[in-house]
Amino acid sequence: MIGRPIAKPSLWLGLSLLLSVSLVSQLTYATPLKPSHLSYEEGLQWQVGKAIFEKLWVAAPASTRSSDGLGPLYNARSCHQCHERSANDTSDVTRPEEYSDTSRLFGAALVLKLGRHTLAASDPVYGQQIQAHAVGGLSAEGLPQVRYVLAPESGLSMPEYRLVHLTQGALAEGIQLAPRLAIPLIGMGALEAITEREIEALADPDDRDGDGISGRVSRPHGEQGPVGRFGWKAGQSSLDAQALLALNLDIGVSSNLFPQGAGDCTPRQIACRTHTFDEGLPEASAAMTAALLFFLRQQEPPAYNRVDATVQAGQQLFDSLQCSACHRPSFNIKWGEVKREIWPYSDLLLHDMGNALADPLAEADASGREWRTPPLWGLGQQMRAGKRAGFLHDGRARTLEEAILWHGGEAQSSRERYRALSSQAKADLLHFLESL
C-alpha cells in the first residue's frame, strides 16, 4: 500500500455512495481493476473511493448530504467526467477552421486557465479559470470556443481559443487563456513514492554534462519546500493537493485542505458568493477525501513487457534519439513494504520546451516555456481503449508523431533526429510508444 494511514469511511457512507454511483454506471471507460494486493477492508475502501471518483455531485441543499456541494460555478460534476468520459479518440475528427464549442472535441476534460506570464495569474473577477457551467439561478462565466490554424513554422495544426458570452465583462488587461487537459491518473501513488533525492539527482539546470538537457526540480513552495511532481508543470508536491485542488476549482467542492465553499468564485462575484450553501463543514468530508485519495494512490502501474522484437528495436531508437534523457524509463520505489521497479518514462523535472509549446500561464515556479516531463506509461493502453482526447497539455496533437514534432527547446535535437529516421524506423519507434 502506498501512502500514509487514512481514516476508514463508515459502512453507511460506503453503501450510500456505491448506490448513488450506480446511476452513472453506463458511462463508458476502462474501469481500473482493484489491485490484488489489497486486503478485504482495503478493497472496500478502494471501491468507496472509486464511487466518489465517479459520482455526480449536486447543488446544495440536497436530500443526500454526501452528494451535495456542487458549484456554484463548475466545469464538471464528477472527477470521472474530466478524466474519463471526455477522453475520446479524436484522431479522425476534422479540426474546425472556424470557432466551435470546445465540447465538440474535448467534452468536460479541457479547462481554460487564466494567466499573464507572471505568478499573479488570477483574473480579479473570473479567478483562476473559466467555469463553463453554473448551478440553477446563476449563469456560467462564459463559453469557451476553439478553432485550429496551421502553425507557420511547422505546418502543424494548433488551437486558438476565445471566450464568448462572458457574463461579467471582459478579462482584465493582460490576462490570456491557457488550456489544460485533465492529466492521466495512472500510477499516481507510485510517482509519489519516488524519493526526492532521486528526482534531485536527475536535475542538471546548468547543463554541466553538455548534452543539451537542463531539467530542473520544481519547488512550488520555495527553495526549501518539497519537490513538485504532479500536474503539467509539476505545480503540486502531493497527490492530496493535486486532487483536492481540482475538486475545489473544477467541481466547486470544498475539503479540509481547500475549505472554500464557493470554489473559484472571487469576492467580486457577489451572486456566486451569496449562492453558496455554507454549513461550516467541508462538502467532501475527511472520510470521503480519504477514500478518494486511497483509490487514486492504489492505481496499479502498468507492467514492463518487452518481448516483441519490434518493440525492442523501437526502444533502442528511443534511447538513441536521447528521448530517455527526459523520459527516464524506470525508478526503484518502496510500495508499502515491498520494493519494486516501476517504468513511468519520466524524470518529473521541468524542461524548456521552446516557444511553440509555450503558453501564458506561469505556474508555481515554472515559466510558460517549462513543462514537467509527462509520464508515458499506459499510453498504449489508453490509445487502444480510445481514451485520448489528444496529446500534449492542450490536446493539439492528434497522433504520437504530431506530439513528437511539437517538441522544441531542449528536445529540438531529438525532434530533428526523429525527422531524419527512415519510415520503418519511425514505425518501430511509434510501435514502442504504443506498447507502453
Side-chain angles (χ1 to χ4, degrees), residues 196 200 216-228 234 364-365:
E196 292 196 352
E200 292 166 342
R216 69 180 185 88
V217 174
S218 169
R219 301 282 184 184
H221 305 290
E223 285 301 317
Q224 303 306 312
V227 169
D365 67 339

Side-chain angles (χ1 to χ4, degrees), residues 89 208 217 382:
D89 180 8
R208 293 184 178 180
V217 174
Q382 294 180 68

Side-chain angles (χ1 to χ4, degrees), residues 57-62 65 67-71 135 275-279 283:
W57 293 83
V58 297
R65 174 66 182 86
S67 289
D68 72 13
L70 176 69
V135 300
H275 207 88
T276 303
F277 186 77
D278 187 4
E279 292 183 319
E283 292 155 333

Side-chain angles (χ1 to χ4, degrees), residues 244-267:
L244 298 184
L245 180 61
L247 187 68
N248 191 241
L249 294 182
D250 297 333
I251 307 179
V253 173
S254 62
S255 63
N256 284 332
L257 196 57
F258 296 97
Q260 303 88 348
D264 194 34
C265 296
T266 67

Side-chain angles (χ1 to χ4, degrees), residues 340-354:
R340 62 183 292 181
E341 189 174 23
I342 59 171
W343 298 80
Y345 284 89
S346 172
D347 58 10
L348 302 181
L349 297 176
L350 293 172
H351 293 275
D352 185 335
M353 296 301 292

Side-chain angles (χ1 to χ4, degrees), residues 268-292:
R268 294 196 189 182
Q269 294 175 305
I270 306 300
C272 178
R273 306 283 289 196
T274 56
H275 207 88
T276 303
F277 186 77
D278 187 4
E279 292 183 319
L281 296 172
E283 292 155 333
S285 68
M288 294 173 70
T289 57
L292 174 63

Side-chain angles (χ1 to χ4, degrees), residues 271-323:
C272 178
R273 306 283 289 196
T274 56
H275 207 88
T276 303
F277 186 77
D278 187 4
E279 292 183 319
L281 296 172
E283 292 155 333
S285 68
M288 294 173 70
T289 57
L292 174 63
L293 293 168
F294 184 82
F295 167 74
L296 294 175
R297 281 192 169 93
Q298 297 303 321
Q299 302 306 308
E300 183 72 22
Y304 180 78
N305 184 9
R306 301 290 179 269
V307 297
D308 187 321
T310 305
V311 169
Q312 292 176 354
Q315 183 178 17
Q316 292 173 1
L317 285 166
F318 187 83
D319 294 337
S320 69
L321 296 182
Q322 208 179 7
C323 301

